[in-house]
Amino acid sequence: MQELIRVAVDAMGGDNAPAEIVKGAVEALKASTDLKVILVGQKEAVQQELSKYQYDASRMEVVNATEIIEMAEPPVQAIRSKKDSSIVVAMKLVKNGEADAFVGAGSTGAVLVGGQLIVGRLKGVERPPLAPLLPTEKGASLLIDCGANVDARPSHLVQFAKMGSIYMENVMGVKNPRVAIVNIGAEEEKGNALVKETFPLLKACQDINFIGSIEARDIPSGYADVIVCEAFAGNIILKLYEGVGATLISMVKKGMMSTLRSKIGALLVKPALKTTLKKFDTSQYGGAPLLGLKGLVVKTHGSSKAVEIKNSILQCVTFVEQGMNDKIKAGIQAEEMK
Amino acid sequence: MQELIRVAVDAMGGDNAPAEIVKGAVEALKASTDLKVILVGQKEAVQQELSKYQYDASRMEVVNATEIIEMAEPPVQAIRSKKDSSIVVAMKLVKNGEADAFVGAGSTGAVLVGGQLIVGRLKGVERPPLAPLLPTEKGASLLIDCGANVDARPSHLVQFAKMGSIYMENVMGVKNPRVAIVNIGAEEEKGNALVKETFPLLKACQDINFIGSIEARDIPSGYADVIVCEAFAGNIILKLYEGVGATLISMVKKGMMSTLRSKIGALLVKPALKTTLKKFDTSQYGGAPLLGLKGLVVKTHGSSKAVEIKNSILQCVTFVEQGMNDKIKAGIQAEEMK
């Protein structure tokens, strides 16, 4: 029998914990026989939710953790002081080799800090980036970094490009992924100081398929597979993507409901529109991996429902099965030896 | 008789020059009796276009300029070497007091450089920001700076906030406009080095209504009237706004055309949807002013049609009528004396 891939899930994190988290974990377990789920949280609450479902109990474990880190808590302090919180206990399982991956929908700051302080960085990785998949017209692109490291240096961006490229190739199955750096114009001489310094370094990388600059306008059309940027810019891209999408879709709906004629039309249009817009739905891709750590850490939306939790857990299975961390280590070290 | 407001228009700039530029100028002239338009460009081509229309010839002048600055030319060099280009000639009219404002749809770089080198900064203004209006659910917000000054300093952002506030109050008629700084979280301690340094300075400004940070997600809903950011971030916001909007609208259209049922629905929905989506159309607001110069310089989209040119020209009339530059000078100097 193949060894199971063990994913520690923060059962208490996010707006819909523990109900949706537990539900998503059960669904993931059903979808993959290679998987073991370790639910970490207040044991009674978790077991009460679990009692609602039928599942393979031999691949489901509950580990007790009495504390919860709230969204508004300062992350560093929370990770240091709440030793029995679900995030800290679950991450320690990864650190100690009792789990291969962590999935959590709680405080982003706490997940980022915990990832670095508890799980720890792979040797050679300067900064672990948070890398969500953005839906595009053609599929999805990896945005790296979207919020882990503000005021990054050029060498960090180069590592982001490598790690992102390895991720898209191995986890998402994109052959020779196109890597681009976010810029305010297409020409090499454009950009701020960081981009101008980083551009030639990326151009010189022989192990990535660097296609140059990408203007934000061209992200939604799927012009590049790996979109490299500093975290402040990445966070703006991710949040604005969600914001413009939500506003436009709400305006389309309002427009459709504004006259009797359009209301009838809306009924006819709805099923086809739903299928199309699903392509632009971020939840289908699960969470954002924090790359470059000794174990995999995946952060999902605070508002995650069962489907996102399930997808995030299954993403971990692919990640571990592909031996991603060995590949990342090799990629980063190859560069160092040059 | 009141004195006419004189707007010098680059007749040769943009994808649709000179036809749409001339058409827009004629339409603006009809819409405002306070206006005189000076069309600058290759005289024959301009006059040939003009001959298609009826207009008040006493308020329309054509000034010859034999050269054209192309989109791809390095801006500084182009402005310095092409002394008889439409941009340089038109901007000199502003510098010499023969025109009050400049409107152009040509190379953004050349307009920015020309604005600074030829028209010149107002005393006390450190950097002139480019400030387009973004459509939101509630109306429009001013994005300042969207591309003129990468790697700006905190003191620049403070001036952007003041100038933007004065603009929204006087040109757009927003009382006590809400000013926010683009950030990656709502709390004061979040952000990159630039934002952390700028935040307390904005908080201390008594002449603006500073409401704190704005996450990119909240821009489309109209959470703030003046959105302050450094140009690299601003450029990402502007371009992504356009990109996500265009992609989503094209996907909605495709979705509606995908089945027979939805095609029939689309016919019924179309008129109502058009009205709603028009609110999210950037062209209605005319161009982006480059604030803080001795005369007004307005940059419109390269793809501008007559309606955008007309709106941009009319924007200049309001700007000058409101005595904007005196107000900006007063606002900046009030700060300096503190």
Side-chain angles (χ1 to χ4, degrees), chain B residues 7-20:
Chain B
V7 179
V9 178
D10 173 9
M12 313 312 284
D15 309 338
N16 307 306
E20 291 288 324

Side-chain angles (χ1 to χ4, degrees), chain A residues 144-193:
Chain A
I144 187 167
D145 174 18
C146 96
N149 313 282
V150 292
D151 298 319
R153 291 199 300 267
S155 63
H156 304 153
L157 295 194
V158 171
Q159 288 198 340
F160 298 169
K162 284 167 188 289
M163 291 192 263
S165 191
I166 294 168
Y167 186 90
M168 284 307 275
E169 182 128 23
N170 293 282
V171 178
M172 298 300 291
V174 178
K175 264 222 163 300
N176 201 24
R178 298 157 300 164
V179 178
I181 186 165
V182 176
N183 205 348
I184 57 174
E187 304 84 5
E188 185 165 349
E189 71 274 11
K190 285 237 177 165
N192 56 12

